[in-house]
């Protein structure tokens, strides 16, 4: 049998160990690089210091409020934040951890993008949720800039290819014109080539008289009057 003094010492040691563990967990909670929130459904029960920095407000402005207070009415995919949040919360409560991107609002209503993970945590007398939020706004903006740069490069490449093709057509046109038997044939061939190169619905070819005081239309395509 365990004596009462020994049992008392064991209980004291267990209590100290428990308090030390709780202190370590609390320190990890408060010093985490990501925002961590304890939720009861949508309501915020507790949060760490990083949450205050992320939402740019004090803990008193966060705890007790709904997580939807820090979300726009709709997400970028067009769905209502309330509907999508309800689905993810329900899935997490059923034991299915959720990981997704979410657009949040800071306390001053400026938006930011985040990666969010939500999982169920068992607390005495309740089933709550833990949400971990990581700001990815900079990464999203960098990705958007890279995509825009990529699109500009694609456009520049297509334009360069088009100019190369046009130059080749003009060179071919010069060679063909040298084989023409008369001016009318040259005009017809030139108009056909220009139609493809200029990519215009209508146009005309004009020549100047030897005296250079008269300009005459010698061939055309499309409705020149409407062009």
């Amino acid at each position: 049998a365990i004596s009462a003094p020994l049992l008392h010492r064991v209980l004291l040691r267990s209590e100290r160990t428990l308090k030390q563990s709780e202190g370590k967990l609390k320190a990890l909670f408060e010093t985490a690089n990501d925002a961590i929130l304890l939720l009861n459904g949508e309501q915020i029960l507790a949060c760490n210091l990083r949450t205050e920095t992320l939402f740019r407000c004090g803990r008193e402005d966060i705890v007790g409020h709904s997580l939807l207070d820090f979300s726009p009415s709709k997400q970028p995919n067009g769905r209502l934040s309330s509907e999508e949040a309800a689905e993810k919360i329900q899935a997490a409560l059923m034991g299915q951890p959720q990981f997704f991107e979410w657009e949040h609002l800071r306390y001053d209503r400026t938006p930011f993008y985040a990666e969010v993970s939500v999982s169920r945590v068992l607390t005495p007398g309740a089933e709550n949720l833990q949400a971990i939020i990581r700001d990815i706004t900079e990464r999203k903006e960098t990705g958007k800039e890279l995509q825009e740069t990529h699109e500009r490069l694609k456009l520049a490449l297509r334009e360069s290819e088009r100019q190369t093709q046009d130059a080749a057509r003009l060179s071919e046109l010069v060679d063909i014109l040298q084989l023409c038997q008369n001016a009318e044939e040259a005009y017809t061939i030139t108009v056909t080539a220009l139609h493809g190169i200029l990519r215009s619905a209508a146009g005309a070819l004009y020549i100047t008289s030897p005296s250079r005081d008269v300009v005459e239309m010698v061939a055309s395509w499309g409705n020149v009057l409407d062009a």
Side-chain angles (χ1 to χ4, degrees), residues 171-182:
S171 178
E172 182 181 356
L173 175 60
V174 171
D175 293 337
I176 294 174
L177 290 177
Q178 292 177 352
L179 302 176
C180 292
Q181 300 297 318
N182 51 59

Side-chain angles (χ1 to χ4, degrees), residues 22 96 172 198:
E22 289 177 348
Q96 304 169 14
E172 182 181 356
L198 298 178

Side-chain angles (χ1 to χ4, degrees), residues 26-225:
K26 185 176 181 180
L28 289 172
F29 177 78
E30 289 295 351
T31 59
N33 291 327
D34 297 325
I36 304 177
L37 300 90
L38 184 66
L39 305 171
N40 181 359
E42 297 169 0
Q43 185 181 25
I44 303 170
L45 301 178
C47 67
N48 65 349
L49 289 171
R50 178 59 182 162
T51 307
E52 298 180 58
T53 302
L54 191 61
F55 289 121
R56 297 177 182 171
C57 60
R59 199 166 303 200
E60 67 277 6
D61 299 311
I62 302 171
V63 174
H65 293 266
S66 169
L67 193 59
L68 291 174
D69 291 342
F70 299 93
S71 299
S73 60
K74 289 185 178 181
Q75 288 298 303
N77 61 9
R79 293 196 63 194
L80 291 174
S81 293
S82 56
E83 292 181 358
E84 194 154 357
E87 289 179 5
K88 296 184 184 304
I89 287 172
Q90 185 61 34
L93 286 173
M94 294 175 65
Q96 304 169 14
Q98 301 293 297
F99 183 77
F100 51 92
E101 289 188 4
W102 192 264
E103 183 179 3
H104 283 284
L105 295 176
R106 304 189 201 276
Y107 191 71
D108 61 4
R109 313 313 289 170
T110 56
F112 71 93
Y113 290 95
E115 284 180 344
V116 182
S117 63
V118 180
S119 56
R120 182 177 60 182
V121 292
L122 299 178
T123 56
E127 283 190 1
N128 293 320
L129 298 172
Q130 174 183 271
I132 300 176
I133 303 174
R134 173 173 297 178
D135 190 346
I136 60 169
T137 303
E138 184 175 347
R139 190 176 78 194
K140 293 277 285 187
E141 290 177 349
T142 300
K144 182 179 179 181
E145 290 174 359
L146 288 174
Q147 180 64 28
E148 290 174 349
T149 300
H150 180 65
E151 291 299 324
R152 287 196 296 270
L153 287 174
K154 284 173 60 178
L155 288 173
L157 179 59
R158 285 199 293 267
E159 179 62 20
S160 177
E161 291 175 346
R162 187 184 71 81
Q163 291 176 355
T164 300
Q165 292 172 355
D166 290 347
R169 289 176 179 175
L170 288 173
S171 178
E172 182 181 356
L173 175 60
V174 171
D175 293 337
I176 294 174
L177 290 177
Q178 292 177 352
L179 302 176
C180 292
Q181 300 297 318
N182 51 59
E184 285 72 21
E185 183 182 356
Y187 299 155
T188 301
I189 292 174
T190 300
V191 163
T192 301
L194 290 178
H195 186 191
I197 294 172
L198 298 178
R199 299 172 180 83
S200 173
L205 174 65
Y206 290 82
I207 63 170
T208 57
S209 64
S211 61
R212 297 186 179 278
D213 58 352
V214 177
V215 177
E216 179 186 3
M217 184 175 71
V218 294
S220 65
W221 70 91
N223 193 337
V224 179
L225 295 178

